[in-house]
Amino acid sequence: MKTIQDFIKEIQGSAELQAALKAIKDKDALAAFLKEQGVDGTVEEFAEAVKAKAQAEGELSDDDAEAVAGGNIFKNFWKFLIGA
C-alpha cells in the first residue's frame, strides 16, 4: 500500500494519473480509484492531505480550501493537484 503523500507525488509526475483524476466526477469513483491504485486512506484523508499540501504551498485560496475540507473536493483542488 502507498501512503496518500506518496500518491500525491506520483500524481504530480504522471500525465496518465492526472487524466484519470480529471475524469473522476464523484466521491465513490474517487474512492474506487484510490483503492485501485493501492492507496492506504479514505477520500476524506486524501482531500485533507491535498488541502494541507496546497495551503502549505500557497496554491489554494481560503474558499478553495474550504471546498476541499467541506467535501466538495472536485470543485477547486484539481488545479493544484495536477497543475491544470
Side-chain angles (χ1 to χ4, degrees):
M1 296 294 268
K2 10 181 149 163
T3 67
I4 290 171
Q5 290 76 20
D6 287 342
F7 186 56
I8 289 171
K9 289 177 189 173
E10 187 177 338
I11 292 165
Q12 291 174 317
S14 170
E16 184 177 311
L17 288 174
Q18 292 171 18
L21 277 169
K22 282 183 180 181
I24 294 172
K25 302 297 181 197
D26 63 44
K27 184 178 176 179
D28 292 336
L30 180 57
F33 182 73
L34 292 174
K35 184 176 180 179
E36 176 184 297
Q37 295 299 314
V39 177
D40 185 24
T42 65
V43 169
E44 291 78 12
E45 291 167 336
F46 180 69
E48 284 297 318
V50 170
K51 174 187 165 191
K53 184 168 178 54
Q55 285 182 323
E57 295 181 10
E59 296 280 342
L60 288 181
S61 69
D62 290 339
D63 289 339
D64 292 342
E66 183 64 31
V68 172
N72 189 7
I73 63 174
F74 302 101
K75 182 177 179 187
N76 296 307
F77 89 108
W78 296 129
K79 179 179 178 184
F80 162 75
L81 188 62
I82 61 178

